[in-house]
């Protein structure tokens, strides 16, 4: 299988989610990713939970297809190993604590003269400078700082996303910037520094809520699983106790919805609901009408009616439903990946028909092999282990 990043080597001083998610995607495309972990314990995300045959759900998701090298980069004996790795690397990714990379001499300014082709990607909460530079940042905190929590949740209370969206956003921007830097290096022959901030990544994702609140205007109200400004657009209960999600985008769909789904054509021209702004203003009374109509049907019946009317809709699936989703099965999107605790299913990366999907490594699984590749003798490996450097 030929993949676009074969021949590219990535060294990553990574932990938690943002950097590992970035480098896993590089590995998906064929890059060799050498993950540097703390001797003994490894990436602390390994201990977040034990839901996947005793392994962490976070870790198995973000760390397949990597080689694990245990190395304490603070130990003097580790420095020659790092230098040997960087001499062969195309990309260095790090999301250490603020300022740690610079203190270790692993920042772009320290490395670029010796390794002019090296791309250095720093992932942090708030960026390499500014008044928040040294502030610790975790996913929930950045969801809050970016304003995401203020527009998510119910009218009574804000809520975080159920997934690590700030980490994922930063990981995605790191991934895409690294791909662009590799193309740029092919033109210039030089590497560069990439400075990825979780805050900036999430603020970019805030999209319409920020502009909706432009120049001090009221932000969109929190509306739970419903849309804040378009109606009807959100969850509605059905007669069998289930919930259906639906979304209307224009007046043509509103007319069809009234005629075909609700079987109440007159509602389409009702003075309280004749435009989206009116429907949004009067959403409580309109919701009562829709709930009353849907009470006559099961969720499957409502979905059939919506499909017949070509109205966008979805089931409110559980995680068990997603594992068994017929669309993913029909498109053959599942593969199997090895782990230290056995084989598990994994989703083929979006947009790809082939990807590198090799095992999730055990802590330090590849340490001795990588050190041998770098020219370390068995005696040197023993000395590094005795010193606690690996």
């Amino acid at each position: 299988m030929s993949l676009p990043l074969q021949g590219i080597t990535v060294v990553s001083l990574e932990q938690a989610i943002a950097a590992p998610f970035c480098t896993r995607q590089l590995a998906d495309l064929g890059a060799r990713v050498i993950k540097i972990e703390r001797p003994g314990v490894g990436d602390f995300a390994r201990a977040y939970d034990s839901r996947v045959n005793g392994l962490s759900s976070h870790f198995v998701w973000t760390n397949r297809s990597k080689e694990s090298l245990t190395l304490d980069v603070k130990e003097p004996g580790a420095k020659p190993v790092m230098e040997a790795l960087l001499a062969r690397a195309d990309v260095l990714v790090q999301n250490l604590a603020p300022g740690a990379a610079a203190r270790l001499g692993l920042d772009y300014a320290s490395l670029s003269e010796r390794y002019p082709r090296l791309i250095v990607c720093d992932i942090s909460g708030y960026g390499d400078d500014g008044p928040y530079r040294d502030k610790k940042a975790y996913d929930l905190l950045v969801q809050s700082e970016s304003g995401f929590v203020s527009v998510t949740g119910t009218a009574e209370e804000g809520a975080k996303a159920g997934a690590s969206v700030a980490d994922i956003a930063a990981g995605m921007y790191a991934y895409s910037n690294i791909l662009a830097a590799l193309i740029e290096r092919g033109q210039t022959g030089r590497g560069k520094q990439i400075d990825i901030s979780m805050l900036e990544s999430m603020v970019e994702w805030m999209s319409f809520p920020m502009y909706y609140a432009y120049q001090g205007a009221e932000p969109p109200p929190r509306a739970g699983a419903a849309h804040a400004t378009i109606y009807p657009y959100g969850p509605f209960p059905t007669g069998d106790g289930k919930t259906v999600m639906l979304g209307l985008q224009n007046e043509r769909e509103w007319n069809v919805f009234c005629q075909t789904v609700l079987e109440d054509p007159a509602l389409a021209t009702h003075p309280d609901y004749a435009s989206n702004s009116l429907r949004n203003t009067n959403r409580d009374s309109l919701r009562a009408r829709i709930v009353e109509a849907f009470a006559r049907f099961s969720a499957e019946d409502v979905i059939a009616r919506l499909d017949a009317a070509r109205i966008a809709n979805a089931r409110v699936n559980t995680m068990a439903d997603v594992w068994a989703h017929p669309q993913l099965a029909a498109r053959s999107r599942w593969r199997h990946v090895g782990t230290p605790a056995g084989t598990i299913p994994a989703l083929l990366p979006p947009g790809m028909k082939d990807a590198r999907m090799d095992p999730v490594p055990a802590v330090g699984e590849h340490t001795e092999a990588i050190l041998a590749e770098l020219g370390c003798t068995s005696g040197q490996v023993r000395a590094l282990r005795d010193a606690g450097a690996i």
Side-chain angles (χ1 to χ4, degrees):
M1 178 169 53
S2 177
L3 292 170
L5 293 187
Q6 282 179 336
I8 296 296
T9 297
V10 179
V11 174
S12 192
L13 290 156
E14 61 179 30
Q15 55 199 350
I17 302 301
F21 184 55
C22 162
T23 58
R24 194 217 75 191
Q25 293 176 94
L26 297 171
D28 290 343
L29 290 174
R32 180 188 188 186
V33 176
I34 299 174
K35 178 185 180 78
I36 296 177
E37 300 193 69
R38 295 175 180 84
V41 296
D43 182 341
F44 57 71
R46 288 182 180 271
Y48 276 174
D49 59 61
S50 56
R51 300 303 294 261
V52 186
N53 300 332
L55 304 176
S56 162
S57 58
H58 297 74
F59 192 86
V60 298
W61 166 51
T62 55
N63 287 285
R64 65 173 179 248
S65 305
K66 300 180 184 180
E67 298 170 52
S68 173
L69 165 67
T70 51
L71 188 68
D72 184 347
V73 292
K74 295 178 182 178
E75 283 288 327
K79 186 169 183 179
V81 176
M82 277 301 302
E83 294 291 332
L85 285 171
L86 294 174
R88 300 175 177 216
D90 298 280
V91 182
L92 171 65
V93 178
Q94 68 86 17
N95 69 332
L96 302 175
R103 290 193 296 273
L104 292 166
L106 295 173
D107 56 318
Y108 182 75
S110 302
L111 297 172
S112 59
E113 187 174 339
R114 296 199 305 283
Y115 310 113
R117 290 177 55 82
L118 184 66
I119 295 162
V120 178
C121 181
D122 303 321
I123 305 175
S124 62
Y126 298 103
D128 284 347
D129 55 9
Y132 278 43
R133 182 193 66 179
D134 296 328
K135 217 173 151 61
K136 283 190 174 181
Y138 304 126
D139 181 82
L140 170 59
L141 308 181
V142 176
Q143 287 191 40
S144 300
E145 196 75 42
S146 66
F148 181 87
V149 171
S150 76
V151 296
T152 307
T154 65
E156 293 75 28
E157 186 176 17
K160 68 180 287 292
S164 303
V165 292
D167 283 320
I168 293 168
M172 289 299 297
Y173 284 114
Y175 167 59
S176 60
N177 274 270
I178 288 168
L179 295 179
L182 287 167
I183 295 171
E184 182 180 338
R185 190 183 70 174
Q187 299 165 345
T188 66
R190 291 196 61 84
K192 66 183 296 184
Q193 182 193 18
I194 300 168
D195 175 11
I196 299 294
S197 152
M198 291 170 66
L199 176 66
E200 290 160 22
S201 301
M202 271 306 295
V203 170
E204 170 64 18
W205 280 17
M206 290 308 296
S207 61
F208 100 86
M210 278 200 353
Y211 282 102
Y212 192 90
Y214 184 58
Q215 292 187 331
E218 283 294 313
R222 291 192 297 265
H227 197 286
T229 59
I230 303 174
Y231 204 80
Y233 196 134
F236 293 90
T238 57
D240 57 355
K242 296 182 180 179
T243 299
V244 169
M245 194 77 69
L246 64 90
L248 302 179
Q249 290 280 3
N250 53 54
E251 297 312 306
R252 181 189 60 78
E253 290 185 346
W254 167 243
N255 282 305
V256 173
F257 179 69
C258 293
Q259 293 172 20
T260 305
V261 180
L262 300 183
E263 297 180 339
D264 187 0
L267 191 63
T269 55
H270 190 290
D272 286 348
Y273 314 125
S275 69
N276 178 66
S277 60
L278 288 168
R279 293 191 292 274
N280 190 45
T281 299
N282 299 302
R283 63 169 60 198
D284 290 344
S285 61
L286 179 53
R287 175 178 172 78
R289 288 173 179 265
I290 296 172
V291 169
E292 182 180 4
F294 282 9
R296 295 175 290 155
F297 308 110
S298 68
E300 291 304 313
D301 290 336
V302 170
I303 286 171
R305 284 171 169 263
L306 292 166
D307 283 341
R310 299 187 65 79
I311 301 295
N313 66 81
R315 294 165 177 81
V316 182
N317 283 333
T318 65
M319 292 298 95
D321 296 329
V322 176
W323 277 113
H325 202 292
Q327 182 69 4
L328 298 174
R331 284 170 54 82
S332 301
R333 298 309 294 176
W334 292 107
R335 298 292 185 271
H336 286 89
V337 168
T339 79
T343 301
I344 61 170
L347 189 70
L348 191 64
M352 299 180 69
K353 293 185 177 178
D354 290 303
R356 181 183 174 202
M357 299 183 74
D358 292 343
V360 176
V363 179
E365 180 178 341
H366 304 91
T367 299
E368 293 195 11
I370 293 170
L371 292 176
E373 183 183 336
L374 296 177
C376 290
T377 66
S378 58
Q380 289 172 318
V381 172
R382 231 180 358 261
L384 287 168
R385 201 174 295 285
D386 290 344
I390 61 172

